[in-house]
Structures are given as structure tokens and as C-alpha cells.
Amino acid sequence: MNITTEIYGTAATLTPRGDIDFQHLDLLRATLHQLPPTVVHVAWDLRDTPFVDVAALHLLSTPGSPQRATSLANLQPQHRRLLNIACKLFPDADFDRYLNGPGAQQAV
């Protein structure tokens, strides 16, 4: 897996290339934790991520210091299916915010 990090002031875009699964979860979390504390918004751009499993839900639930707003961009159909299932199974986890966020349009 390769992860591109772009920082724009207080926002960062992380673009993983490859599957998000438990094999890559530690690397993804490490990348998240290496962001400067001035970054308060993180967008995960999933255009180059063909498959995600439950590890993606764990990643989205990773507590941060500082607390950061998180969004998803370029969701593909498989990503949406997983999030829809998570919304039904864990309604209090607020995973629906990732389906309805401004950057959650489907990848082209």
C-alpha cells in the first residue's frame, strides 16, 4: 500500500492506493497519527482503493489527538455497501455521515 498525504493549512487529504484491510490498518493509522496537530480536518480519498473491509470502519473510528473532522471522497459501490451495512448494524456509530458528506460522491 502507498498513501499520498497532501496538507493544505488545517486540512489534509490522504489517498491510499490499494485495499484497506487489517493487513494495512496499522500503516493507515500511523499515517493519520503523523499528521501535524494543526490539521483538524482529514479527508480520505478512496479513488484508488478498490476494496475495503471492516478495517475501514475501525480506521474511521480511530480516536485522534487532536480531534479531527473526518470525511470520505470518491466512494465506490463496494465502499457504499459496507457503510450501508455498518449503518444498519451500528446505528449509533454515525457512519451515515460518510455516505451523505459533501465529498462522498461516487468515483468516476
Side-chain angles (χ1 to χ4, degrees):
M1 168 163 291
N2 181 6
I3 305 167
T4 301
T5 302
E6 298 175 78
I7 299 175
Y8 310 96
T10 60
T13 299
L14 303 177
T15 307
R17 286 173 180 77
D19 296 341
I20 296 180
D21 53 24
F22 276 103
Q23 177 182 348
H24 299 108
L25 184 57
D26 288 340
L27 173 63
L28 291 158
R29 282 182 170 159
T31 302
L32 186 61
H33 290 303
Q34 290 173 2
L35 293 172
T38 55
V39 172
V40 294
H41 180 79
V42 174
W44 289 97
D45 185 343
L46 302 180
R47 68 177 154 214
D48 295 321
T49 306
F51 174 80
V52 298
D53 68 11
V54 71
L57 302 178
H58 286 273
L59 179 64
L60 293 173
S61 302
T62 299
S65 181
Q67 290 292 342
R68 294 181 168 123
T70 303
S71 63
L72 300 177
N74 295 308
L75 292 174
Q76 297 181 33
Q78 190 272 328
H79 308 146
R80 290 182 179 282
R81 281 192 301 275
L82 177 68
L83 285 168
N84 280 317
I85 291 167
C87 289
K88 291 176 185 172
L89 292 175
F90 310 107
D92 295 334
D94 199 26
F95 287 120
D96 59 329
R97 72 177 178 258
Y98 299 111
L99 289 167
N100 304 317
Q105 55 270 50
Q106 187 167 338
V108 181

